[in-house]
């Protein structure tokens, strides 16, 4: 009797990609800590900062499919080098912004584009090319958990930098740190034709892949539902520290809350990778969105105290990026890995359109009404909508013609 050993995970690729995820996700998740000191120093209102963060999320989404396609064709490593350089440039411009336009270009356009180049869809597509389909969900969970670790690390780190050096110098320090990304990109070199899974790919042009995806009902439902994820998490990332100050919670709890979200997000992302490998991904996603709506509702209706903030952050952290492994996993199951960077990027574009609206509406409605309540409750309603949308998604490969052997 012979036994076949299961291939080991490509740990160098996963480690390098995970460290890049820490660096690309960490600073952008800590942007909320820079809002109040920057606005106090510059004399701008919250809608100005909110618009910059909205641009960041929008350009992240718009650029991501293009960078995904570039990574599929020319190599993931090259795209990730661009990410690190653009990120550093955007942080420096944000640090020295003397007018809102420079904040919008640096903190919005440049950083958003940099995140698009170093996003989950770019990194996870490289993972998918180098692991077996059975290992894919867990590898996605590890990469997503690394992004969560970035949030956990950069929340206290950013606040510590601001306290010690001021908000402007802190952005410059983080910009220098981002220059490690091009060095980490080397193990992720290679395009869609490389990797252990390249021989199993269905050969398509970009136009054929897009036509197939946009005619696929489950893909369209998945893309629609991911809009809600972006709306919810981007609003909390950008406005939660300011919201806690508004309701009289000590500023230190904002750091604790964002760090807890990041920490429990590590657990949630790894668990999502494990669950997605064994159970229905569409149903799991529906339960995540229902869980978010319930969590926000209870937080808003119950007395808001430091203890309730801690509980809310822990529970929301478990649900935070746990959507990413099953979402990317579904795209890979439906269409394979040949154009995963592009097609996964389009799903994330929907996510970032939601992020744009969540961040911008948070600042705009606050300036209009003096409260974030309207955006909180809209997020609750959208969570229920997302659960409904994900329920009918079919978890299977798209039907394709059989190519006859020569």
């Amino acid at each position: 009797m012979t036994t076949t050993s299961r291939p080991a995970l490509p740990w160098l690729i996963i480690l390098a990609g995970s460290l890049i995820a820490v660096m690309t996700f960490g600073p952008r998740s800590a942007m909320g800590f820079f809002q109040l000191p920057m606005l106090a120093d510059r004399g701008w209102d919250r809608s100005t900062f909110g618009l910059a963060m909205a641009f960041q999320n929008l350009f992240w989404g718009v650029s991501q499919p293009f960078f995904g396609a570039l990574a599929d064709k020319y190599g993931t490593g090259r795209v990730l080098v661009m990410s690190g350089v653009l990120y550093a440039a955007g942080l420096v411009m944000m640090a020295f912004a003397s007018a809102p336009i420079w904040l919008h270009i640096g903190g919005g356009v440049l950083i958003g584009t940099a995140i698009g180049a170093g996003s989950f869809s770019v990194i996870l597509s490289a993972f998918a090319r180098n692991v077996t389909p059975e290992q894919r969900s867990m590898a996605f969970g590890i990469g997503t958990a690394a992004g969560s670790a970035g949030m956990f690390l950069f929340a206290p780190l950013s606040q510590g930098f601001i306290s010690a050096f001021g908000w402007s110098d802190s952005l410059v320090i983080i910009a220098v740190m981002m220059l490690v990304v091009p060095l980490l990109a080397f193990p992720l070199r290679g395009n869609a034709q490389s990797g252990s899974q390249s021989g199993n790919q269905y050969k398509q042009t970009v136009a054929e892949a897009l036509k197939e995806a946009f005619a696929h009902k489950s893909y369209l439902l998945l893309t629609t539902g991911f809009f809600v994820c972006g709306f919810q998490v981007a609003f909390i990332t950008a406005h939660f520290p300011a919201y806690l100050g508004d309701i009289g919670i000590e500023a230190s709890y904002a750091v604790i809350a964002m760090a807890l979200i990041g920490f429990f997000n590590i657990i949630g992302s790894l668990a999502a990778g494990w669950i997605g490998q064994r159970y229905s991904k569409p149903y799991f996603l529906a339960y995540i969105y229902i869980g978010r709506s319930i969590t926000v509702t209870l937080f808003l209706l119950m007395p808001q105290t430091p203890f309730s903030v801690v509980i809310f952050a822990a529970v929301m952290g478990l649900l935070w990026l746990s959507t990413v492994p099953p979402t990317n996993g579904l795209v890979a199951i439906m269409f394979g890995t040949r154009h995963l960077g592009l097609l996964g990027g389009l799903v994330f574009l929907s996510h970032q359109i939601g992020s744009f609206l969540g961040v911008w509406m948070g600042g705009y409605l606050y300036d209009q009404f003096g409260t974030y309540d309207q955006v909180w409750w809209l997020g609750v309603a959208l969570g229920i909508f997302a659960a409904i949308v994900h329920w009918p998604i079919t978890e299977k490969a798209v039907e394709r013609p059989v190519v006859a052997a020569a």
Side-chain angles (χ1 to χ4, degrees):
M1 181 179 295
T2 61
T3 59
T4 57
S5 60
R6 186 176 181 180
L9 287 171
W11 285 111
L12 179 60
I13 292 173
I14 289 176
L15 177 61
S18 295
L19 289 174
I20 291 173
V22 169
M23 296 303 299
T24 55
F25 195 83
R28 58 93 35 198
S29 66
M31 288 287 111
F33 294 111
F34 292 90
Q35 178 177 183
L36 295 183
M38 176 186 289
L39 298 185
D41 193 22
R42 294 292 190 251
W44 302 330
D45 56 23
R46 294 193 192 186
S47 60
T48 299
F49 185 87
L51 183 59
M53 295 303 101
F55 278 135
Q56 183 184 111
N57 283 282
L58 183 62
F59 275 84
W60 173 4
V62 171
S63 66
Q64 193 160 277
F66 294 101
F67 283 123
L70 288 174
D72 290 337
K73 186 172 183 179
Y74 297 108
T76 302
R78 295 177 179 177
V79 171
L80 292 173
V81 169
M82 294 172 59
S83 173
V85 173
L86 287 171
Y87 217 131
L91 287 166
V92 170
M93 185 175 290
M94 186 176 174
F96 296 103
S98 57
I101 183 65
W102 302 115
L103 171 63
H104 295 153
I105 293 174
V109 178
L110 288 181
I111 293 179
T113 304
I115 300 169
S119 66
F120 284 127
S121 66
V122 172
I123 295 171
L124 298 188
S125 63
F127 287 7
R129 294 194 303 266
N130 292 280
V131 300
T132 66
E134 294 75 24
Q135 296 170 326
R136 194 178 289 152
S137 184
M138 197 66 234
F140 287 177
I142 294 171
T144 307
S148 310
M151 184 177 186
F152 174 69
L153 291 172
F154 273 87
L157 190 64
S158 298
Q159 188 62 53
F161 282 162
I162 292 170
S163 299
F165 306 108
W167 66 269
S168 182
D169 288 347
S170 297
L171 289 171
V172 175
I173 293 170
I174 296 173
V176 174
M177 294 172 64
M178 292 305 303
L179 296 178
V180 75
V181 171
L183 301 178
L184 294 169
F186 183 77
L188 283 88
R189 65 195 185 280
N191 61 13
Q193 302 300 327
S194 61
S196 62
Q197 302 301 303
S198 59
N200 302 324
Q201 295 173 18
Y202 182 77
K203 300 300 186 288
Q204 282 180 311
T205 65
V206 169
E208 290 170 342
L210 291 173
K211 181 179 178 181
E212 181 180 67
F214 287 133
H216 196 277
K217 178 182 176 182
S218 290
Y219 179 78
L220 296 178
L221 289 173
L222 185 69
T223 303
T224 302
F226 213 37
F227 166 92
V228 176
C229 181
F231 185 97
Q232 293 172 328
V233 301
F235 165 69
I236 294 174
T237 298
H239 295 286
F240 196 57
Y243 173 77
L244 293 183
D246 292 342
I247 61 175
I249 302 294
E250 187 179 341
S252 61
Y253 280 94
V255 180
I256 293 170
M258 300 310 290
L260 283 174
I261 289 175
F263 176 77
F264 280 92
N265 195 13
I266 298 172
I267 299 172
S269 298
L270 291 173
W274 186 89
I275 293 170
Q277 212 161 276
R278 291 162 174 80
Y279 301 101
S280 167
K281 294 178 182 65
Y283 292 170
F284 179 47
L285 285 165
Y287 293 138
I288 290 172
Y289 286 109
I290 291 173
R292 287 184 182 179
S293 292
I294 292 173
T295 301
V296 172
T297 298
L298 292 175
F299 176 65
L300 294 177
L301 295 181
M302 295 177 66
Q304 293 177 319
T305 64
F307 177 74
S308 70
V309 168
V310 168
I311 298 300
F312 171 79
V315 176
M316 188 58 72
L318 291 173
L319 306 171
W320 193 256
L321 290 183
S322 54
T323 57
V324 173
T327 298
N328 278 274
L330 283 169
V331 178
I333 288 171
M334 292 174 189
F335 306 109
T337 62
R338 174 65 183 85
H339 295 286
L340 183 58
L342 170 63
L343 299 180
L346 287 171
V347 177
F348 267 86
L349 171 57
S350 174
H351 182 282
Q352 293 314 113
I353 293 172
S355 298
F356 173 87
L357 290 175
V359 174
W360 174 75
M361 289 180 67
Y364 177 78
L365 292 178
Y366 181 89
D367 287 338
Q368 294 297 313
F369 301 103
T371 178
Y372 289 114
D373 287 352
Q374 292 87 349
V375 189
W376 279 117
W377 288 114
L378 179 57
V380 169
L382 287 173
I384 297 171
F385 166 77
I388 295 171
V389 164
H390 280 87
W391 204 261
I393 290 175
T394 302
E395 187 176 350
K396 68 176 184 179
V398 65
E399 294 182 4
R400 287 166 168 162
V402 177
V403 180

